[in-house]
């Protein structure tokens, strides 16, 4: 079983969500398909497909205007939440420590966090990929509970560029070797219908986190079908 997780980021509306979920529900797959949606689209018909959020507060409740708590996500039947996506780390200055708090509070509320880690192009070019990933991982993962790791090189996100299979194996093996307990490891960054199966079958890879190509049936369904 592989995870095929879509991340809509700040895109989409109710009609687009319903049409994609209904199309996905028509595919027979042994894999676990999850769609991580903006908050406004979390409620409503999900056609039997698992729904995830893209962020969660590190606080239980209270005076945090604009934030959404893990118990609110649970109340909306949300099963997964992305934490520490590079967009959040970059545009909201999220630190490993904060990401760990978010992952921990998600688990406490019965939601599986998808913890993202990945190096920048500068870190890659200076040969620091392994040490950067290891530090991010060890500082971002919760102490206990079940979670998923997504290896997403920042430079590969939305750029059309992907690491070589060897680079992916090296990175995910680093993650695998440093996890205190075995957890699923995903790859994310410019996955499309042409490279999805190849990447999904790399050793240590348990699935894919897909941004741009998850937005439309024409690009997402072929990925889901190719990994069947
Ligand atoms: P992308 O995004 O597939 O559009 O590169 C991946 C992600 O940000 O999770």
């Amino acid at each position: 079983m592989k995870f095929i997780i879509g991340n809509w980021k700040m895109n989409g509306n109710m009609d687009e969500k319903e049409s994609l979920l209904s199309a996905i529900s028509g595919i027979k797959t042994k894999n676990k398909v999850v769609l991580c949606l903006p908050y406004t689209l979390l409620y409503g018909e999900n056609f039997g497909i698992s729904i995830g959020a893209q962020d969660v507060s590190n606080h239980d409740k209270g005076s945090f205007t604009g934030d959404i708590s893990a118990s609110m996500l649970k109340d909306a039947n949300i099963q997964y939440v992305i934490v520490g996506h590079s967009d959040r780390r970059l545009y909201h200055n999220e630190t490993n420590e904060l990401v760990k708090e978010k992952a921990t509070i998600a688990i406490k509320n019965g939601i599986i966090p998808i913890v993202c880690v990945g190096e920048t192009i500068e870190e890659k070019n200076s040969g620091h990929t392994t040490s950067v990933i290891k530090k991010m991982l060890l500082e971002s993962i919760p102490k206990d509970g079940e979670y998923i790791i997504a290896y997403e090189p920042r430079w590969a996100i939305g750029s059309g560029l992907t690491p070589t299979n060897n680079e992916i194996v090296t990175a995910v093996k680093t993650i695998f070797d440093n996890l205190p307990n075995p957890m699923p490891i995903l790859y994310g960054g410019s996955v499309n219908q042409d490279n999805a199966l190849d990447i999904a079958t790399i050793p240590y890879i348990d699935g894919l986190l897909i941004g741009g190509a998850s937005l439309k049936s024409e690009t997402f369904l072929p990925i889901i079908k190719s990994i069947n």
Side-chain angles (χ1 to χ4, degrees), residues 21-158:
L21 289 177
S22 133
I24 295 171
S25 71
I27 301 178
K28 230 174 132 4
T29 174
K30 58 182 185 330
N31 298 313
K32 178 79 184 168
V33 180
V34 179
L35 199 58
C36 294
L37 294 164
Y39 290 133
T40 52
L41 302 181
L42 293 180
Y43 272 102
E45 176 61 59
N46 66 355
F47 297 86
I49 309 299
S50 297
I51 304 294
Q54 301 170 10
D55 185 36
V56 66
S57 172
N58 59 326
H59 299 287
D60 269 322
K61 61 176 176 179
S63 220
F64 302 100
T65 303
D67 289 347
I68 298 285
S69 72
S71 63
M72 291 169 177
L73 294 181
K74 190 66 190 168
D75 193 40
N77 285 323
I78 299 312
Q79 293 154 279
Y80 298 86
V81 62
I82 298 171
V83 293
H85 188 279
S86 71
D87 290 340
R88 303 288 318 170
R89 293 179 184 266
L90 190 61
Y91 304 126
H92 297 268
N93 302 316
E94 293 201 0
T95 60
N96 293 335
E97 191 190 3
L98 180 66
V99 173
K100 179 177 179 170
E101 286 175 17
K102 291 182 170 195
T104 304
I105 208 159
I107 290 172
K108 204 176 104 196
N109 284 275
I111 298 169
I112 299 177
I114 302 159
V115 182
C116 302
V117 298
E119 80 285 1
T120 63
I121 192 66
E122 293 78 19
E123 289 161 345
K124 171 183 160 58
N125 290 343
S126 58
H128 291 125
T129 299
T130 303
S131 59
V132 166
I133 293 171
K134 184 174 169 189
K135 183 172 178 347
M136 279 179 104
L137 179 80
L138 294 178
E139 292 180 2
S140 301
I141 52 172
K143 207 160 148 277
D144 304 299
E146 204 188 316
Y147 51 91
I148 294 172
I149 300 295
Y151 168 56
E152 297 206 303
R154 269 195 201 181
W155 53 272
I157 294 176

Side-chain angles (χ1 to χ4, degrees), residues 7-12 38 54 87 215:
N7 171 17
W8 268 23
K9 310 188 188 184
M10 200 171 71
N11 295 292
Q54 301 170 10
D87 290 340
L215 287 171

